[in-house]
Amino acid sequence: MRKPHQTKAQAATPYIDALLEYRAKGMVAFHTPGHKLGKGAPPIMREAFGDTLLGVDVAMAGGVEDTRESTSLVAAAEALAAAAWGGERCFFLVNGSTSGIHSLLLALAGPGDGVILPRNAHKSVQAALIFSGAVPHYVEPEIDPIWGIPLNVPAERVAAAVEAHPHAKAVFVVSPSSNGVCAALEAIAGVVHDGGLPFVVDQAWGPHLRFCSALPLDAMSAGADAMVASTHKLISGITQSSVLVARGERLSLQRLESIVKMTQSTSPQVLIYASIDAARAQMALYGEQLWSQAVENAEWARARLGQIAGVRVMGAEVLARRGVADFDRTRLTVSACDLGLNGYELETALRDHYGIAVEAADPLNVLLNVTYGDSRDDVACFTTAMADLAARRRDAGAVSCDTLLASWPRFSRQVMSPRDAFFAASEAIPVKHAAGRVSAEMVAPYPPGIPIVAPGEEVSDELVAYLTEASARAMHVHGPEDLTLKTLRVVS
Ligand SMILES: Cc1ncc(COP(=O)(O)O)c(C=O)c1O
């Protein structure tokens, strides 16, 4: 059940108010950063950022707050955020949800401990497994045969994993997926809690969910013990801002806090904190109307795109797929493969010929975020561009594209823990000779950052074929030492 937030109290913005007060006082700054409120910054930086912004790029202690009482403002702003997102505690993060995921896994599992995870988890999970030494018990997500993307994990597979691994320390789920596809969180929370485990959710793509009834259910309302949400992805937090929200029934908030402090900079960017403070108030006060408008605009675009021959857009039909409980209608997954354009080519065409920048491209599709920042004219600009592009492609007699990369390779068998494989003696060998060997590194096409192979997994023939084509097409990946994918580091 979705829990309402306290609208009246949520109007307060203690952190950003303090920043404005600091600037208004005209302080003489003898603290970091060295540009001293912009006065010493190189002219190009002053031109790009403006003195208004540089004038609030100050240190937290000594700047926004007196060094004697530093952090009380943060505590006040975090308490408001905890209430808004439905937790007992909220931690502001300056290194994105990535650092929240690191903190959560480090807090919940140590060396050799099992954690139940979806195999489509973001690459930050692999880093957390290497840091902590925890062992993943993967749950396979459904892969959509048409869109070529991982959907989500069915609740019954999570239930089977909880039964099969009674000593696991936690269950982790990603919802929404990076394309906005949501798992059955309430059912999963029930199963996980019946098994006596904490349930944590990577809600990086759902900072907005709790604030509008036209959006899917959020993790904390569904009963999760903790979640991370990237406030920079879909609401007004600036880049890298994120929140970790938790309740203390099944996990120690004190331990979590001490670990969060290990994973964050000791010099948090105050602009990031201030933007979370303001974005939270905006959502709590106006989220319902702002996001209702965004949903309407996205649905308007979806209806128009659906009428263009050769263009496909993911819609409500995805709800019929296994593992899908709901989807965020403000995310537009669009394909022009029937017009001979793969996702990367479509991204380039939109950028170069129509001045439209998308969120992401994958081998088949592009992905667009529609938020309250977009007007009907903005979304119409995209639908008009797609109609024009489609007409030109049809006139040119385009045929459908065909690529092996369109089908996500089956995930491989885990034979060593990610940490053991990562730190084992290893060698870089040509990918074509890697079948049957154990990968010592991760390869994650970016976006969306889901590893197609993770440290400790056996390399299959299917994976070798995929990596070979990915290399030929210069796919953008994160993780491996050899970004051209000609070689792969495997355990010796
Ligand atoms: C599903 C998922 N989780 C976590 C992250 C990491 O989020 P951040 O960029 O805020 O560190 C991403 C980033 O794209 C993501 O897609």
Side-chain angles (χ1 to χ4, degrees):
M1 258 238 332
R2 197 182 297 269
K3 313 270 182 357
H5 34 269
Q6 310 142 351
T7 305
K8 209 163 157 216
Q10 290 289 325
T13 47
Y15 200 87
I16 198 161
D17 290 350
L19 210 52
L20 291 176
E21 267 168 38
Y22 177 90
R23 190 168 58 195
K25 280 184 196 152
M27 304 287 277
V28 182
F30 286 101
H31 54 66
T32 61
H35 64 66
K36 298 298 178 90
L37 312 178
K39 289 177 295 182
I44 191 155
M45 214 167 122
R46 293 180 83 160
E47 189 190 332
F49 301 161
D51 287 347
T52 315
L53 186 142
L54 291 171
V56 284
D57 178 25
V58 294
M60 191 169 77
V64 192
E65 293 200 57
D66 191 303
T67 45
R68 288 165 305 184
E69 51 186 315
S70 175
T71 71
S72 62
L73 271 174
V74 187
E78 287 181 340
L80 284 160
W85 272 287
E88 260 173 75
R89 283 297 308 269
C90 172
F91 303 100
F92 286 0
L93 305 174
V94 292
N95 190 21
S97 291
T98 296
S99 62
I101 289 167
H102 295 166
S103 307
L104 274 172
L105 287 188
L106 284 166
L108 291 169
D113 288 339
V115 188
I116 296 170
L117 293 165
R119 181 55 184 80
N120 62 320
H122 182 254
K123 63 179 274 243
S124 48
V125 164
Q126 291 300 327
L129 293 172
I130 292 169
F131 298 159
S132 68
V135 178
H137 301 307
Y138 286 123
V139 181
E140 290 288 317
E142 281 295 297
I143 309 284
D144 191 291
I146 296 173
W147 298 100
I149 53 172
L151 295 170
N152 223 309
V153 285
E156 59 278 12
R157 275 188 213 158
V158 178
V162 171
E163 207 180 317
H165 303 288
H167 302 299
K169 297 287 185 191
V171 176
F172 178 98
V173 158
V174 181
S175 186
S177 70
S178 44
N179 293 74
V181 176
C182 301
L185 292 178
E186 277 178 307
I188 295 176
V191 162
V192 175
H193 290 160
D194 286 350
L197 298 177
F199 176 42
V200 297
V201 179
D202 172 354
Q203 193 176 281
W205 285 102
H208 56 325
L209 300 187
R210 197 173 165 90
F211 304 104
C212 177
S213 49
L215 295 170
L217 190 72
D218 66 286
M220 297 310 283
S221 297
D225 296 288
M227 67 93 184
V228 284
S230 295
T231 45
H232 70 94
K233 287 199 193 300
L234 295 172
I235 63 173
S236 303
I238 61 173
T239 300
Q240 283 190 222
S241 68
S242 188
V243 287
L244 194 174
V245 177
R247 51 171 71 104
E249 203 180 324
R250 294 179 191 81
L251 54 83
S252 160
L253 295 174
Q254 290 74 19
R255 183 162 173 80
L256 186 58
E257 177 164 12
S258 69
I259 291 175
V260 167
K261 285 187 177 143
M262 289 180 202
T263 62
Q264 302 303 302
S265 167
T266 45
S267 313
Q269 168 55 267
V270 298
L271 297 170
I272 292 182
Y273 277 15
S275 75
I276 301 174
D277 197 29
R280 182 267 315 147
Q282 182 185 33
M283 285 300 103
L285 298 182
Y286 310 112
E288 183 68 36
Q289 86 205 48
L290 290 174
W291 281 100
S292 298
Q293 189 61 48
V295 170
E296 251 178 57
N297 281 337
E299 290 288 60
W300 181 90
R302 184 172 276 108
R304 262 141 204 84
L305 293 167
Q307 288 161 1
I308 305 171
V311 172
R312 289 183 291 122
V313 55
M314 196 166 91
E317 76 290 342
V318 76
L319 295 173
R321 298 245 188 258
R322 208 161 166 218
V324 181
D326 205 348
F327 88 107
D328 177 354
R329 287 162 174 74
T330 65
R331 317 294 308 290
L332 297 174
T333 298
V334 179
S335 165
C337 273
D338 296 344
L339 298 165
L341 291 176
N342 67 37
Y344 306 116
E345 290 163 344
L346 178 56
E347 176 186 33
T348 305
L350 286 168
R351 177 181 289 271
D352 291 354
H353 303 303
Y354 300 96
I356 291 173
V358 301
E359 165 62 30
D362 68 34
L364 288 183
N365 319 297
V366 292
L367 175 65
L368 290 88
N369 311 334
V370 178
T371 79
Y372 50 85
D374 299 301
S375 64
R376 181 61 62 89
D377 283 351
D378 292 326
V379 290
C381 176
F382 174 60
T383 56
T384 308
M386 287 303 295
D388 183 69
L389 183 67
R392 287 170 192 271
R393 298 291 299 175
R394 286 194 303 268
D395 288 351
V399 291
S400 293
C401 43
D402 182 23
T403 161
L404 169 69
L405 301 181
S407 55
W408 201 266
R410 260 168 307 173
F411 297 120
S412 312
R413 209 160 58 98
Q414 182 85 32
V415 290
M416 283 173 84
S417 83
R419 175 190 267 187
D420 287 348
F422 185 78
F423 290 113
S426 62
E427 55 190 325
I429 62 168
V431 163
K432 59 181 183 233
H433 297 144
R437 302 292 296 272
V438 177
S439 182
E441 58 185 2
M442 158 173 77
V443 180
Y446 217 94
I450 299 169
I452 47 168
V453 63
E457 288 181 350
E458 194 176 62
V459 179
S460 62
D461 290 328
E462 189 184 354
L463 188 72
V464 168
Y466 189 94
L467 290 173
T468 307
E469 183 170 341
S471 173
R473 291 175 182 258
M475 183 188 251
H476 181 56
V477 295
H478 280 202
E481 287 176 13
D482 178 2
L483 293 171
T484 69
L485 297 179
K486 298 220 168 7
T487 61
L488 184 72
R489 184 159 283 280
V490 295
V491 174
S492 290

